[in-house]
Amino acid sequence: MPRDRDPLVVGRVIGDVLDPFARSISLRVNYSNKEVNNGCELKPSQVVNQPRVDIGGDDLRTFYTLIMVDPDAPSPSDPNLREYLHWLVTDIPATTGASFGQEVVCYESPRPTVGIHRFVFILFRQLGRQTVFAPGWRQNFNTKDFAELYNLGLPVAAVYFNCQRETSGRRPR
Amino acid sequence: MLIFKSFSICSSPLKSMEEMWNDINLSSLHHPHRSSSTTTTAQTFHFQDLFSKPLLSYKDQPPPNDVSSAGDTISFGFGSLSQQRTSLSLNSDSELGFKFLETSAFLVKKPALDSPACDKKRVQQNSDDSSEVKRKRLMKNRESAARSRARKQAYTNELEHKVAHLRKENARIKNQLTQFYLAAPTALEVPKKRTLYRTLTAPF
């Protein structure tokens, strides 16, 4: 896909969170059998529990780290908590899923209060097993710095969805 | 994004400089997380520009402020400064690609009147504040609109890409299937369902 048509670029995920990278491993995220496609909208009630994450690759001895962040916390027009870490799973063997890894930071349900937030899943290849550790806190997480700190290199896959506060009674546009 | 508070150029150059420096400090306090380098270069540009042009006299008609945008940095050139009160805001947020000519609407020129200096200043500041608030709101709305367009476009691109990918995969699988049919037609014949055959009938 040409660079400027890539949904990750158009949606500013590449820019706000990540540097340009080449996808090399498949990453499938499913919330109750609803697959996450870039830029799709999900309701907070649909993403309360952690999704099923399946990754590709071929060698079971290669381990991957999955990061889920909200770059629009607390509000997209003033993201002073960018990025907010929602989930961190390490040591995921290739061809398996997040349930086979180590949940280093437990899944926190998205609960956007103001504006429409992006929630980004990023997959990194680890150099070895048990080489990635939890940060001190969730807010103001920096994926790029984190990757540099633990020698994760550039991402191998990423996908994101949009989510806003659920309103009751208002007719959707 | 860097937003300058409005500042007024009074007749006494010394006072105006002080005011301007104060205003700059205030705005950088409001936006500490923005890169300081862009702040300083933008500021430096302005002040050098300010000082390089001689202050014109009250009578002179000010030439229109020329506004140019170049790549990432958006810069202003000042016209006349004396007796002219200009309020301006600067936005160096390149990703949104603002056409900076639009900001000429932000420039409000008020001729100096012969009312007392402090009253003038207060009125000035009130209207500056409200126009400042209005400007901020306008910027925020613009950004919000840009984000909304980007969101829509990103989703559309993703769907188009998926459709193309699925179409290709579909074609490939169908092709494979037809090739299998051609290669071994007999193997695919559904074997006749085996029914139960009697081997012995009860004598009674």
Side-chain angles (χ1 to χ4, degrees):
Chain A
M1 203 176 338
R3 175 68 59 79
D4 55 344
R5 305 239 345 141
D6 183 352
L8 290 177
V9 173
V10 175
R12 303 301 304 145
V13 170
I14 290 179
D16 292 343
V17 183
L18 304 172
D19 289 330
F21 68 95
R23 293 156 172 76
S24 55
I25 303 292
S26 71
L27 172 66
R28 285 203 315 274
V29 179
N30 282 280
Y31 280 101
S32 315
N33 291 318
K34 223 176 147 72
E35 178 153 3
V36 172
N37 293 309
N38 283 319
C40 74
E41 176 142 355
L42 293 169
K43 293 191 270 199
S45 53
Q46 294 173 298
V47 299
V48 171
N49 298 310
Q50 69 191 54
R52 184 201 151 108
V53 179
D54 297 302
I55 69 172
D58 40 28
D59 189 351
L60 276 170
R61 292 164 300 177
T62 315
F63 297 93
Y64 292 86
T65 290
L66 178 76
I67 299 179
M68 177 183 174
V69 290
D70 174 4
D72 299 323
S75 145
S77 52
D78 181 29
N80 51 65
L81 299 180
R82 173 178 289 178
E83 308 142 31
Y84 188 91
L85 182 66
H86 277 265
W87 201 22
L88 178 60
V89 187
T90 65
D91 297 340
I92 304 173
T95 73
T96 67
S99 50
F100 291 82
Q102 276 264 59
E103 195 180 34
V104 168
V105 175
C106 64
Y107 182 82
E108 184 177 301
S109 311
R111 261 187 309 260
T113 46
V114 182
I116 304 182
H117 295 219
R118 294 164 294 177
F119 290 91
V120 191
F121 292 93
I122 310 126
L123 194 68
F124 288 97
R125 181 182 288 118
Q126 294 171 209
L127 282 184
R129 215 173 135 254
Q130 293 191 333
T131 53
V132 181
F133 305 98
W137 42 85
R138 291 179 187 260
Q139 59 266 33
N140 299 119
F141 182 80
N142 189 304
T143 304
K144 281 190 256 194
D145 290 346
F146 188 80
E148 191 168 322
L149 180 63
Y150 294 112
N151 293 300
L152 297 172
L154 283 176
V156 295
V159 72
Y160 82 100
F161 66 93
N162 294 313
C163 185
Q164 59 180 311
R165 212 178 73 153
E166 217 145 352
T167 55
S168 51
R170 205 200 297 170
R171 186 179 70 87
R173 284 229 215 128
Chain B
M1 180 183 23
L2 180 70
I3 299 176
F4 273 94
K5 274 186 65 164
S6 63
F7 52 95
S8 48
I9 320 296
C10 305
S11 46
S12 70
L14 272 155
K15 188 164 186 235
S16 67
M17 267 159 57
E18 199 178 284
E19 270 180 35
M20 284 188 296
W21 282 116
N22 283 340
D23 285 338
I24 299 304
N25 287 335
L26 277 170
S27 54
S28 60
L29 274 174
H30 287 319
H31 304 274
H33 57 282
R34 297 299 168 190
S35 71
S36 54
S37 58
T38 35
T39 313
T40 45
T41 47
Q43 286 174 356
T44 335
F45 182 93
H46 286 292
F47 286 112
Q48 281 172 357
D49 213 27
L50 194 63
F51 297 147
S52 64
K53 294 200 200 307
L55 298 176
L56 300 178
S57 72
Y58 184 46
K59 290 193 305 253
D60 292 347
Q61 276 293 27
N65 288 341
D66 60 294
V67 174
S68 60
S69 68
D72 287 319
T73 13
I74 314 261
S75 47
F76 264 119
F78 273 97
S80 77
L81 304 161
S82 71
Q83 315 296 342
Q84 294 285 340
R85 297 172 184 279
T86 55
S87 49
L88 85 114
S89 82
L90 178 69
N91 185 341
S92 59
D93 196 344
S94 61
E95 72 172 89
L96 299 167
F98 281 143
K99 295 254 183 321
F100 219 50
L101 291 163
E102 292 173 75
T103 59
S104 54
F106 295 156
L107 299 171
V108 175
K109 293 187 189 127
K110 289 189 189 149
L113 304 169
D114 33 0
S115 37
C118 51
D119 270 359
K120 212 191 299 178
K121 192 170 163 207
R122 205 185 311 123
V123 166
Q124 176 74 32
Q125 278 198 339
N126 281 343
S127 55
D128 279 354
D129 282 344
S130 65
S131 59
E132 173 70 21
V133 166
K134 230 185 272 182
R135 262 198 305 279
K136 278 203 170 139
R137 198 155 31 91
L138 193 68
M139 288 306 216
K140 274 196 167 182
N141 189 259
R142 287 230 176 106
E143 285 158 30
S144 194
R147 270 200 306 273
S148 178
R149 285 192 297 270
R151 223 186 348 258
K152 189 159 136 185
Q153 187 64 42
Y155 188 48
T156 306
N157 289 357
E158 171 80 359
L159 289 182
E160 285 175 358
H161 177 69
K162 270 230 140 64
V163 164
H165 180 259
L166 288 172
R167 266 201 231 270
K168 251 196 282 182
E169 178 128 5
N170 216 16
R172 187 178 61 83
I173 293 176
K174 278 193 181 154
N175 203 14
Q176 250 185 1
L177 208 58
T178 47
Q179 286 189 352
F180 282 149
Y181 275 133
L182 290 170
T186 51
L188 285 166
E189 270 175 18
V190 179
K192 193 162 173 232
K193 219 175 173 181
R194 288 255 191 103
T195 54
L196 202 57
Y197 287 107
R198 280 183 197 276
T199 52
L200 193 65
T201 309
F204 48 85

